[in-house]
Amino acid sequence: MMTLGACEPQVPVASDFIPEYKGVETVLLDGDLVQFNVAMTKALSTQDVADYAECAAARYTLIRGYGFARHVRTNVVQEGGIWRADAVYTISPSLPRGIKTIDAEVTTQNCVEKGIPTV
């Protein structure tokens, strides 16, 4: 009797759910407007990729000597097992107007605690 082991679905293991962060590219668009291009594998949802971009934005904001950022937009795509996000933020020394603002110091600390890399 012949078995068809290759046809059986593989059982996921824990390492299948540990994200692999592939890096951040930062592009200064205009003064305080910054684009973050991130890539990762093993994301469970688009939110994982958006969180990675937000962590990059928070740390970059601190590096530039500012304390706050405001989310403008994030586009997420997945192709060939690689998730990519293209996110745009404004950075500023004081809390900007708008509802999608982040405190860069608090957000960076949260990212460290969650194991999400920053710039």
Side-chain angles (χ1 to χ4, degrees):
M1 181 169 170
M2 188 163 114
T3 60
L4 299 174
C7 295
E8 295 176 21
Q10 291 187 341
V11 176
V13 295
S15 62
D16 292 336
F17 301 100
I18 299 172
E20 292 180 9
Y21 300 97
K22 301 295 187 181
V24 177
E25 177 190 28
T26 305
V27 180
L28 183 60
L29 298 176
D30 183 40
D32 64 351
L33 193 63
V34 186
Q35 178 177 337
F36 300 90
N37 299 310
V38 301
M40 66 185 293
T41 58
K42 301 181 185 179
L44 299 179
S45 70
T46 57
Q47 188 61 52
D48 290 344
V49 190
D51 289 348
Y52 184 26
E54 182 176 88
C55 290
R59 182 68 180 132
Y60 179 85
T61 300
L62 293 176
I63 289 169
R64 293 290 304 269
Y66 296 114
F68 300 92
R70 182 177 57 84
H71 178 254
V72 176
R73 66 145 173 83
T74 300
N75 297 315
V76 177
V77 296
Q78 180 194 24
E79 187 175 331
I82 299 176
W83 291 78
R84 297 182 192 283
D86 154 23
V88 175
Y89 286 81
T90 59
I91 59 174
S92 64
S94 58
L95 186 63
R97 294 176 58 172
I99 59 172
K100 294 185 177 183
T101 59
I102 61 172
D103 178 315
E105 192 171 323
V106 170
T107 301
T108 299
Q109 183 60 40
N110 289 340
C111 295
V112 169
E113 290 172 7
K114 292 178 181 178
I116 303 172
T118 58
V119 175

